[in-house]
Amino acid sequence: MVARIPAFPTFLLLSAGLLASCGKGQDGELGVAVIGNASAINERGARLSSPAQLIRSATTEGLVGFDEQGRVVPALADRWIVTDNGQSYIFRLRDGTWPNGKRITADGAAAAVKKAIAALRGTALGLDLAAIDEVRVMADRVIEIDLAAPVPELLTLLAQPELGLPFGGRGIGPMAVKAGEGGARVFTLIPPETRGLPKQAKFAKRARPLRVTVAPSAKAVALFTDGTVDVLLGGKIDTVPLAGRIGLTRGNVRLDPVTGLFGLVVDRADGFLGDSANREALAMAIDRDALLGSFNIGGWQPTTRVVSGDVEDDLGTIGERWQGMTLDERRSQAAARVAAWKGAGRAIPTLNIAMPDGPGSGLVFAALRDGFARIGLSVRRLPEGERADLRLVDIAARYGRATWFLNQLSCAVQKAVCSPIGDERVAEARRAMDPQARAALLAEAEAEITAANGFIPIARPLRWSMVRSGTTGFAQSPWGWHPLPPLAWLPK
């Protein structure tokens, strides 16, 4: 009962390459660069940056985890069963000890699960977990998670880094971390017998340390280019032109088949943006084909939908918006709305768009600026994190169902513009026992949230990595997720 993995788009298949079974760095440390802020190593709490999620998952196990292909694998729980009605998951914990030397027991694990869930309240991931009714102890090493209604993606959710279970503020692996040279961190696999697992023959020979450097995109790419590292993780659309310049021709770039949200969120709903029809005018003005074309990535398709059509529970009743209208017709209608607003004596100040730094963001902004200018609006680019009217969001889905998309745009998460009615339909779907009824409610929710025009979709996100030929432990992932532990294992 795991969420369906989305199919590979054509352009991802073309970029994929078979990795050899052995390669550079296997006799010593494997160098890994992660695009991001070096402060990620010290991040705590439930709201983590992408590099901090990577570090958390390597050092703090949850009940389950992910392998390199995005499949759910055992972690603190070495086995589990799901009841026939899909409303109860029973986990048996492995034999082992917490960091303070005490045995891992159901009491401690259940308390840690409850604490992790409580810390996520008010977040989209917290809404994903809202159907959890009770976490209870069944036996010394057995816990049960009861659900108000079936959640087919529960195991995928429990594998998220935020559901890692520290004890006394510390995780129990599967990796240990220490400071390295030049600001890097060295991650090493903890011997299985130390973690309560069977001893593995030749463990010392098969396990290699990882030298991980979290750095801004230009530095991270430079580390890969000069051979300092063999793996580069964390690439998004803001940095994808860097990958195209140096890696695509050599076959080092790996593109992940992710779904998710890539577009503009309305963060200030007053004045011109206080009207849903005006917000729709912005969505109508964008030439998505031209925007994506500026990246020259074959097969990357635009979208005007809030929910990806690839999700398992999409009924197909909601299609792309403005079908039958040309771009010129859309822009003409949008320009008329802008003119009517101005004609009533109401000024429209320059709209501020907050977005990440990077050459890819520059291409996105240029396309947005051109589209909005065609309907009589001017825009200004602000750094990511600054208060703005619009914000570029680029988030990969954590599981392949409509609820992920709708929870991201809920009133609990997006404060400026949301749909309370859409949230009500999602809440009803969460309690629905029949899959068809649930899907119908989610389709209604999508229609309501789309009509609010608080989010302007552009395309599916892009996630890219660079991997030197012969490096093992890496695979393309539907979640854009590349855990560190598999990279530390050498092939037998």
Side-chain angles (χ1 to χ4, degrees), residues 138-149:
M138 296 283 290
D140 181 49
R141 284 168 41 211
V142 179
I143 67 173
E144 181 175 12
I145 296 180
D146 293 328
L147 306 172

Side-chain angles (χ1 to χ4, degrees), residues 48-412:
L48 303 172
S49 65
S50 296
Q53 290 175 338
L54 196 67
I55 293 167
R56 171 79 65 84
S57 69
T59 58
T60 308
E61 286 185 307
L63 293 176
V64 292
F66 288 124
D67 69 5
E68 65 271 28
Q69 296 183 50
R71 299 173 299 196
V72 174
V73 295
L76 278 179
D78 57 12
R79 71 196 78 169
W80 54 87
I81 60 173
V82 185
T83 56
D84 290 340
N85 64 4
Q87 289 183 250
S88 180
Y89 286 66
I90 301 170
F91 298 88
R92 181 172 179 81
L93 307 177
R94 71 166 188 255
D95 193 11
T97 60
W98 296 110
N100 63 359
K102 292 184 178 180
R103 283 184 65 247
I104 295 174
T105 64
D107 286 326
V113 171
K114 293 175 183 177
K115 184 176 180 180
I117 293 172
L120 291 167
R121 287 176 186 150
T123 70
L125 182 53
L127 291 174
D128 293 332
L129 296 164
I132 292 179
D133 203 25
E134 185 179 8
V135 179
R136 56 198 182 96
V137 174
M138 296 283 290
D140 181 49
R141 284 168 41 211
V142 179
I143 67 173
E144 181 175 12
I145 296 180
D146 293 328
L147 306 172
V151 181
E153 64 278 2
L154 182 66
L155 291 175
T156 302
L157 290 169
L158 293 175
Q160 301 300 323
E162 292 87 347
L163 272 295
L165 305 179
F167 189 87
R170 295 173 55 197
I172 57 172
M175 305 188 84
V177 59
K178 64 180 181 180
E181 296 181 0
R185 294 294 190 275
V186 178
F187 289 76
T188 54
L189 289 167
I190 299 172
E193 62 271 22
T194 304
R195 300 168 53 222
L197 298 169
K199 187 174 182 178
Q200 293 190 20
K202 300 181 180 179
F203 170 80
K205 291 184 178 180
R206 286 197 59 209
R208 62 181 168 190
L210 304 181
R211 186 182 66 258
V212 179
T213 303
V214 182
S217 57
K219 180 180 178 181
V221 170
L223 290 172
F224 185 90
T225 305
D226 65 19
T228 302
V229 303
D230 290 332
V231 178
L232 169 64
L233 304 176
K236 297 183 179 181
I237 193 169
D238 53 317
T239 55
V240 76
L242 297 175
R245 288 175 197 163
I246 66 171
L248 204 55
T249 56
R250 296 203 299 270
N252 291 321
V253 174
R254 303 286 182 261
L255 295 171
D256 290 315
V258 300
T259 59
L261 296 178
F262 175 65
L264 297 173
V265 163
V266 179
D267 266 351
R268 184 174 290 169
D270 53 10
F272 179 77
L273 293 179
D275 186 279
S276 177
N278 293 340
R279 298 192 294 268
E280 183 188 24
L282 297 180
M284 297 171 77
I286 300 171
D287 186 344
R288 290 166 177 79
D289 289 325
L291 189 158
L292 271 59
S294 64
F295 288 85
N296 195 29
I297 298 176
W300 189 24
Q301 296 296 318
T303 188
T304 57
R305 284 192 61 182
V306 166
V307 175
S308 170
D310 290 334
V311 299
E312 186 171 347
D313 48 0
D314 180 51
L315 293 178
T317 56
I318 297 180
E320 296 291 332
R321 302 181 76 179
W322 313 299
Q323 295 186 57
M325 293 180 67
T326 66
L327 176 62
D328 287 342
E329 288 170 340
R330 295 203 317 262
R331 283 178 168 172
S332 177
Q333 190 175 122
R337 296 179 190 180
V338 174
W341 182 272
K342 292 179 177 179
R346 295 170 292 192
I348 304 178
T350 297
L351 299 177
N352 295 316
I353 305 178
M355 58 176 56
D357 192 13
S361 296
L363 293 175
V364 173
F365 178 75
L368 295 175
R369 180 180 57 198
D370 177 71
F372 294 157
R374 300 294 181 93
I375 65 170
L377 297 174
S378 59
V379 294
R380 180 190 301 115
R381 179 178 173 182
L382 296 182
E384 185 178 32
E386 288 200 16
R387 176 74 168 146
D389 303 292
L390 304 164
R391 171 170 47 91
L392 185 68
V393 298
D394 183 358
I395 315 169
R398 299 194 190 220
Y399 59 94
R401 289 185 177 270
T403 46
W404 180 88
F405 296 83
L406 302 175
N407 286 339
Q408 293 291 321
L409 302 173
S410 72
C411 295

